[in-house]
Amino acid sequence: MRQTDPSQDVTPLTIPAQPPAGSEEPNRADGSRRRSHLRHYRFLYLSILAVVLLIFLPPLINIGRYQRTIATSISRSLGRPVHLDRVSLTLLPLPGFTIENLVVGEDPAFGSEPIIRANSVHATVRISSLWRRHVEFSTISFSSPSVNLVHNANGQWNIEGILLQASRIDTAPTAQRHAGPAPRFPYIEASGARLNFKQEQEKLPFSLVDADFALWLPDPHQWHLRLRSHPTRTDLNVSDTGTIELEAVLGAGPSLRQVALNLQGQWRDAPLGEGSRVLFGRDAGWRGQMNLSANIRGTFGESAVSTRLTLTDVRPADFVPEQLLNTRAECFATATGIFHAFQDIHCSWPPTSSSRNAALTLKGSIPNIHHPRESSLEISAADIPASTLMYGLRVLTPHVSPDTTATGTLAGTMTFGSSDHSGSSAGASLSTGHWQGQFTVSDATLKTPLAQPHEESALSALSALEKAAAAAAEGRSTASAATLLSQDLQLRSIDTPQRPRSKAGDTSKTASFVLEPVPLQLGGHDPATIEGTFTASGYSLHLSGNVTTARLEALAGAVPPLGDGLMRALPENHSVNAPFHIDLTATKHWRSPQTWVANAPSRQQAGHVRSRRSAR
């Protein structure tokens, strides 16, 4: 038997072949590059993933179940019922909610139309509040909302309840950096807003459009409000009405009367034509620029009010005078009853702060702005030079000769208020308030040049030649000057009976202003006279006496409103050079043409004429 060696019974080991030199280094390099690539671009990948989630995640999140909660929260804050159609989540650029068709209901005491209506409202969430139980909003933005501000018969505004409700909620300032126990008040803004005004159920034609609004809380229980808008009217097509800007700080109080108020506002760059259309519903016929500023300090119950009106480049709409009118006026008053009454009114033109003394002043009180006839007012003129009156007349009409001069001073007082004009009998009614008093131009003279020197018949030929020679030597016109007026002018109030009414026994009266008879030097041996009556509907003037054509033309040129249509009313066969008699009456309704007519001679005058003819 053959024996074998155990050491030789071994399976041969297979030694793997050695890899080529350098083959392990590329594999390691590829892994390192992949890890380095991931490290360098991981933020990019995460950002792309976040953007994808922000785009596709919000539609997948159903926040409809929070819609009622959001509406209830807004309703509790405003104290009004709130309805909204849809709420959606937005994550870019900041997390927030978009509310569609927000409607804030009205208090039934002010009507049924919503107080606020907005197609879209976006509320941005404070990111730091996402990790807390109570979510806070940093901004709430309204797009093109419509707001109705209603004033009822009791003198209340529908916005009062919302202001008081907001003052009762404990909130922190808007700009506070860190959250506290009280939520921070959001920054509320609106763009393209429209503010409508209503008197009870009637919507007024005046409104504010294109309004930009902002409200925030700079300090606890102190709101800052900013508004910029353009006034307009819904019943007229108006444009370029200027800009209204308001900046106000509101405090907190248990009632609106006790809420502190500090307001600065202005209506600037308002053309007078469009501004008068907004205020009065018609073009007043003036052009120029108006700036009106106001400052209010105090509370809604009682505050000090100061206003200033500045008029620049004022002129009539139908012509451009040589010199435009620039003037200012200011008023001070104490407002009470949430701006329904004004006491201690004092207005002056020009302002007392100017270098000139006040020419016109207005003093008095308005107990209720809704009943202006219960007011007590007084207008006073203190020594206004007649030259100032002529300057104003040249602004009114282009027909005043630059050589026409006037002297004298205007002074007087007019008062407005209720007074008893019915006698002392018991049960007699009080008439409504009206203006009464008088104005007087003392030492009044009116001089104007005459185109015909020979009209001055009182001058001798030698005197006329001497006068012409002197004028030629001085380079002046040879036309002589005529003194048309050298007499005090007085305008006073009287009471005249009104037209009979259907009610028997009605003997109420109205106030009229009477121009006392004024002698005019119109070329006759004796002065002619003019007198007149002015009422709320218009005026009438009576001019009679001996006149010459030249003097009458000079009067019409010196005072164009008086001379409007005067020369056309003269007799066809009137003398050109010699004096002749006139008896004319002018009538005019405000904003209507003036008409001069010849008065028919009375029977007594006709008898005298026939007697003179028989004697001849």
Side-chain angles (χ1 to χ4, degrees):
M1 177 180 288
R2 185 183 176 183
Q3 296 181 346
T4 60
D5 188 359
S7 62
Q8 295 179 358
D9 191 15
V10 178
T11 304
L13 296 175
T14 302
I15 301 174
Q18 296 292 329
S23 63
E24 185 176 359
E25 284 75 4
N27 293 334
R28 291 178 180 177
D30 291 342
S32 299
R33 280 196 297 269
R34 285 194 296 269
R35 289 191 295 271
S36 177
H37 179 81
L38 290 174
R39 283 197 304 269
H40 282 87
Y41 293 97
R42 66 178 182 273
F43 293 108
L44 176 61
Y45 296 147
L46 291 175
S47 300
I48 295 175
L49 178 61
V51 171
V52 172
L53 291 175
L54 290 175
I55 294 175
F56 294 100
L57 186 61
L60 300 178
I61 300 177
N62 182 16
I63 62 171
R65 56 182 176 175
Y66 299 107
Q67 180 170 320
R68 180 173 297 180
T69 303
I70 294 173
T72 302
S73 177
I74 299 175
S75 177
R76 188 181 303 112
S77 300
L78 299 178
R80 295 285 193 278
V82 173
H83 171 77
L84 48 92
D85 285 353
R86 185 172 178 269
V87 179
S88 58
L89 176 66
T90 59
L91 299 178
L92 291 176
L94 293 173
F97 298 96
T98 298
I99 302 173
E100 298 179 7
N101 295 329
L102 174 70
V103 177
V104 180
E106 182 61 279
D107 185 339
F110 294 93
S112 58
E113 190 176 3
I115 183 174
I116 301 175
R117 186 189 297 271
N119 293 331
S120 176
V121 181
H122 184 74
T124 303
V125 177
R126 293 184 186 268
I127 298 178
S128 60
S129 68
L130 295 177
W131 284 267
R132 296 167 42 244
R133 179 174 298 179
H134 299 288
V135 177
E136 297 182 14
F137 294 101
S138 59
T139 61
I140 299 178
S141 302
F142 292 79
S143 297
S144 303
S146 177
V147 181
N148 291 317
L149 301 178
V150 185
H151 186 263
N152 64 14
N154 297 327
Q156 296 177 320
W157 289 90
N158 60 342
I159 198 72
E160 296 181 21
I162 295 179
L163 293 176
L164 294 179
Q165 179 71 13
S167 65
R168 298 188 185 102
I169 300 176
D170 189 16
T171 53
T174 303
Q176 182 174 295
R177 296 187 59 184
H178 303 288
R184 285 164 286 187
F185 189 83
Y187 183 88
I188 301 176
E189 61 182 0
S191 60
R194 183 184 184 94
L195 278 69
N196 303 308
F197 296 88
K198 296 177 63 177
Q199 181 65 35
E200 296 186 354
Q201 302 302 316
E202 180 184 359
K203 184 169 289 187
L204 303 179
F206 178 80
S207 60
L208 301 177
V209 296
D210 300 328
D212 294 332
F213 171 87
L215 177 67
W216 68 96
L217 194 73
D219 295 307
H221 302 291
Q222 187 181 78
W223 288 268
H224 198 126
L225 181 147
R226 181 178 295 152
L227 174 68
R228 186 177 186 272
S229 64
H230 303 286
T232 188
R233 289 183 71 97
T234 57
D235 57 347
L236 294 174
N237 184 17
V238 296
S239 61
D240 189 20
T241 57
T243 303
I244 290 181
E245 296 177 345
L246 297 178
E247 193 93 14
V249 176
L250 306 176
S255 65
L256 185 64
R257 293 178 180 271
Q258 296 173 285
V259 171
L261 175 63
N262 184 0
L263 181 145
Q264 292 83 37
Q266 62 174 337
W267 183 4
R268 60 179 179 83
D269 302 331
L272 283 180
E274 295 299 288
S276 61
R277 284 162 61 87
V278 170
L279 292 176
F280 311 118
R282 60 177 179 83
D283 190 339
W286 291 93
R287 298 297 179 263
Q289 292 289 324
M290 177 186 72
N291 287 276
L292 177 64
S293 62
N295 191 337
I296 302 174
R297 288 180 177 269
T299 65
F300 278 88
E302 182 175 350
S303 56
V305 180
S306 62
T307 61
R308 173 165 289 196
L309 175 66
T310 302
L311 302 178
T312 307
D313 297 337
V314 178
R315 65 172 180 86
D318 53 352
F319 81 101
V320 180
E322 294 183 1
Q323 187 174 2
L324 302 178
L325 178 64
N326 296 283
T327 186
R328 294 181 301 166
E330 65 180 7
C331 285
F332 302 93
T334 300
T336 59
I338 314 182
F339 300 99
H340 287 81
F342 293 87
Q343 310 294 331
D344 302 325
I345 299 174
H346 187 278
C347 302
S348 58
W349 168 78
T352 55
S353 56
S354 64
S355 57
R356 296 173 52 192
N357 294 328
L360 284 177
T361 59
L362 171 66
K363 299 179 181 180
S365 63
I366 304 176
N368 191 331
I369 59 174
H370 298 291
H371 301 283
R373 289 192 172 275
E374 298 177 359
S375 306
S376 298
L377 301 173
E378 178 184 286
I379 295 180
S380 300
D383 298 332
I384 301 177
S387 57
T388 301
L389 303 180
M390 289 300 298
Y391 169 75
L393 189 60
R394 290 189 177 96
V395 173
L396 288 172
T397 175
H399 303 299
V400 179
S401 170
D403 297 326
T404 299
T405 60
T407 62
T409 56
L410 173 67
T413 301
M414 289 287 181
T415 60
F416 180 90
S418 299
S419 57
D420 188 355
H421 296 278
S422 57
S424 59
S425 60
S429 60
L430 292 176
S431 67
T432 56
H434 56 259
W435 290 102
Q436 56 185 355
Q438 68 179 31
F439 283 107
T440 303
V441 181
S442 302
D443 301 326
T445 62
L446 180 65
K447 296 182 180 181
T448 188
L450 285 176
Q452 296 140 339
H454 63 274
E455 189 274 341
E456 295 287 346
S457 57
L459 294 176
S460 63
L462 179 60
S463 176
L465 291 175
E466 292 176 350
K467 194 171 185 178
E474 297 178 7
R476 294 183 288 106
S477 170
T478 58
S480 62
T483 301
L484 302 178
L485 170 66
S486 181
Q487 178 77 24
D488 291 352
L489 295 176
Q490 187 177 90
L491 185 70
R492 63 180 180 87
S493 64
I494 63 170
D495 288 335
T496 57
Q498 292 181 346
R499 292 182 178 179
R501 300 182 180 178
S502 58
K503 185 178 179 180
D506 188 354
T507 58
S508 59
K509 297 181 179 181
T510 184
S512 301
F513 292 96
V514 173
L515 175 65
E516 296 288 354
V518 180
L520 297 175
Q521 304 296 332
L522 298 182
H525 183 270
D526 297 322
T529 60
I530 186 171
E531 55 189 336
T533 303
F534 299 81
T535 65
S537 59
Y539 66 80
S540 64
L541 298 172
H542 180 217
L543 176 62
S544 62
N546 292 328
V547 301
T548 61
T549 303
R551 286 293 185 101
L552 209 57
E553 289 177 345
L555 177 65
V559 190
L562 172 65
D564 185 15
L566 176 60
M567 303 307 296
R568 294 193 298 269
L570 297 181
E572 295 183 359
N573 57 349
H574 69 275
S575 173
V576 176
N577 298 321
F580 59 95
H581 184 81
I582 61 171
D583 188 356
L584 306 175
T585 296
T587 57
K588 177 180 175 64
H589 294 279
W590 302 121
R591 300 183 62 84
S592 298
Q594 178 176 266
T595 304
W596 282 94
V597 296
N599 298 321
S602 63
R603 293 182 179 180
Q604 183 177 5
Q605 291 175 335
H608 290 321
V609 172
R610 286 194 297 269
S611 299
R612 288 196 297 268
R613 289 178 179 176
S614 300
R616 292 177 184 174

